[in-house]
Amino acid sequence: MFGLKPEVIKLFTPFFQYADGRLIFPYGNEVVESWAPEWHRVPSTSEFWLANADHPNLISDLYISYSAAELLCFISQRAFLLKFPEQLAFAAVGLLPSTAQVEALKSTFPLARWHLIFDTNLVGRIADAAIAAWFKGRSVSFQIMNEQVMITYCDKSFMADSGVFSLSRFERLTGLRAGMRTHKPLRGLSSFIELQFANYDT
């Protein structure tokens, strides 16, 4: 199925439906993400998709992305992480992550290390920084202007070049230490979905 590893399909099967050649991921009350090789619809919602979260106090690592499909592709390319699948959980927050989503996930998974799987583009790198700040209870906003990222963090202003902006750069500028890891695909691709299909003949 879309070149995904069998062990990945087995782990995630309870958390999606397959219909008309598409995977359907439920985010809550009638909100879904739909994914096929040639088509991908990700919602903007206050809800989120969760997988493998039946025992949240046992979760040591929480993987978060904008989409469930991105998470499936990521873990399919990192299948060695599934050595202890009962310790992993996965959350997709949609196109517009929010403070409320971060607070809910933090409350649900009190012992988990957070891993952020967002695109390599500037929007994805800003999402990394925003989620890290919200996780620490800090207020933050971003504006992009003339190849610069204008940051307002805890009522202080910072500026970073958009070409080199990252969670690491954000933490150095602001002094934040979130303890989160970001994961980006290699080969100059934007997402793990792109990498999945670069290796899979649809």
Side-chain angles (χ1 to χ4, degrees):
M1 184 183 294
F2 306 165
L4 298 168
K5 297 282 181 63
E7 58 267 41
V8 174
I9 296 296
K10 180 180 178 181
L11 177 66
F12 286 102
T13 291
F15 310 105
F16 66 75
Q17 295 88 45
Y18 183 73
D20 300 323
R22 294 180 293 167
L23 297 184
I24 310 297
F25 305 93
Y27 279 61
N29 296 326
E30 301 181 3
V31 178
V32 300
E33 173 185 341
S34 300
W35 178 52
E38 71 287 348
W39 193 75
H40 192 194
R41 178 187 176 276
V42 182
S44 298
T45 175
S46 60
E47 299 179 282
F48 42 77
W49 173 84
L50 275 180
N52 216 39
D54 290 342
H55 303 286
N57 288 325
L58 298 180
I59 299 302
S60 62
D61 294 272
L62 174 64
Y63 293 86
I64 303 170
S65 183
Y66 74 100
S67 89
E70 182 75 357
L71 289 165
L72 265 67
C73 291
F74 167 77
I75 205 68
S76 192
Q77 295 158 35
R78 303 285 193 280
F80 60 87
L81 295 172
L82 296 178
K83 185 175 182 180
F84 300 105
E86 68 280 359
Q87 297 178 6
L88 311 180
F90 304 87
V93 294
L95 292 177
L96 292 174
S98 69
T99 308
Q101 289 172 317
V102 170
E103 290 174 349
L105 290 170
K106 184 178 178 180
S107 176
T108 302
F109 303 100
L111 305 178
R113 293 182 293 266
W114 285 34
H115 301 258
L116 306 179
I117 298 100
F118 290 87
D119 287 1
T120 59
N121 60 30
L122 183 58
V123 172
R125 289 179 275 133
I126 286 175
D128 292 333
I131 287 173
W134 295 334
F135 179 84
K136 287 294 188 178
R138 308 293 197 269
S139 62
V140 68
S141 63
F142 302 88
Q143 287 184 301
I144 303 169
M145 185 181 300
N146 298 327
E147 305 299 321
Q148 298 288 313
V149 180
M150 318 290 289
I151 306 161
T152 303
Y153 173 80
C154 295
D155 297 322
K156 297 180 180 179
S157 297
F158 301 89
M159 184 180 297
D161 183 85
S162 62
V164 297
F165 182 80
S166 65
L167 176 56
S168 176
R169 179 63 58 94
F170 175 78
E171 289 184 326
R172 288 199 299 272
L173 282 171
T174 63
L176 178 75
R177 294 294 178 267
M180 294 184 180
R181 184 177 176 190
T182 61
H183 301 265
K184 306 296 182 188
L186 302 177
R187 296 169 51 181
L189 297 175
S190 177
S191 69
F192 286 96
I193 292 175
E194 285 188 11
L195 184 58
Q196 181 70 20
F197 288 127
N199 298 323
Y200 169 61
D201 184 3
T202 59

